[in-house]
Amino acid sequence: TFAARAEAQTTRSISFDELPMQPIDGLVFNGVRFGFTEKRRIANAYFSNNGPGVIQMYVQQPALSGNADGILTLMFLQPLSAFSFGAAVSNFSGRGLLTTSLFDPTDGALGSSTLDPVAGIGSRFSEALFTCTGAPVGSASLDFGEVEAPGQFAFANLRFTDAQISTVPEPASVVMLMAGLAMLCVLSARRRTA
C-alpha cells in the first residue's frame, strides 16, 4: 500500500482585481472554478465588481459580488489544506445567514458551517470571516440565506493553501517488496543448480 504525504505547499490569493469585470459562472482563475446558480429568481454574480462600497473589515472593493438569491460554488483544481475568505450580505435583504458547505475531492460532504454576519457601523452590509484548515477540501458552496427582498452579497480576500500530495510507499510495503525480491532470487538460484 501507499501513503499520501504532503510536500511543499503553495499559498495563493485572489483579490478580485486581477481580471476585468465579468460573469463568474464557469470562470476558471488561479486554480479555482467559480459557479453561481439562482434559487428563485434571476441571479447573477460578477468577478471584479463593486463591493460593499465602504471599508469593511473582511470585504473591500473590488469583490466578487452579485444577487444574494443564489448559491456561489468554488471548485478547487487542487485539493486545499486551508482557505479563508470574507463575505458580506446587504442588511436590507432579510436574514443574511451565510452557510458554507465543504466537500472533499471526491465530492463527499465534509460538513457545513453557518455564520451570522455582523453589521459594521454605518454600513448597509453585514460581514463575516470564514477560515478552514484540516481535511483536504475539493469544493465549497456558499448560500447567502433566505432573502425577502433583492439583496446583494460580496465575497473577497480568498486565500488558500493547496497541499501537493505525493504517494510514498509505507515501510511495510517496502519490506514486502524486498522479501518478494529475495524469494525470486532464491527460486532463480535453485533453478540454475537443478
Side-chain angles (χ1 to χ4, degrees):
T1 62
F2 289 87
R5 181 179 79 187
E7 290 185 345
Q9 295 182 330
T10 305
T11 298
R12 294 181 278 165
S13 64
I14 299 177
S15 58
F16 299 98
D17 61 356
E18 298 92 347
L19 297 174
M21 184 174 156
Q22 59 189 292
I24 58 108
D25 192 32
L27 176 68
V28 177
F29 179 70
N30 202 9
V32 181
R33 177 183 303 276
F34 296 92
F36 193 74
T37 55
E38 62 187 60
K39 288 196 273 186
R40 291 188 306 258
R41 54 175 91 73
I42 295 175
N44 53 42
Y46 295 92
F47 192 98
S48 193
N49 200 7
N50 291 331
V54 297
I55 303 236
Q56 301 281 116
M57 187 177 299
Y58 308 120
V59 179
Q60 296 82 31
Q61 291 187 139
L64 186 161
S65 61
N67 187 314
D69 197 31
I71 296 175
L72 174 64
T73 57
L74 309 169
M75 178 180 285
F76 304 108
L77 303 182
Q78 175 84 22
L80 303 183
S81 61
F83 76 103
S84 66
F85 60 84
V89 180
S90 59
N91 293 332
F92 56 85
S93 65
R95 185 101 172 124
L97 293 177
L98 169 64
T99 301
T100 303
S101 300
L102 303 177
F103 304 91
D104 67 19
T106 63
D107 285 334
L110 292 172
S112 63
S113 174
T114 300
L115 300 173
D116 191 359
V118 177
I121 297 172
S123 175
R124 58 185 183 91
F125 279 83
S126 299
E127 66 173 344
L129 175 67
F130 180 86
T131 302
C132 170
T133 58
V137 175
S139 62
S141 70
L142 287 76
D143 186 336
F144 298 96
E146 295 300 318
V147 293
E148 311 208 352
Q152 296 293 307
F153 79 90
F155 176 89
N157 300 315
L158 176 61
R159 289 181 178 76
F160 51 98
T161 303
D162 38 55
Q164 305 293 326
I165 305 293
S166 67
T167 55
V168 177
E170 292 180 0
S173 298
V174 173
V175 169
M176 287 181 61
L177 176 65
M178 300 287 268
L181 288 174
M183 185 68 96
L184 287 174
C185 289
V186 167
L187 290 175
S188 177
R190 280 188 182 177
R191 282 190 183 166
R192 279 191 228 149
T193 58

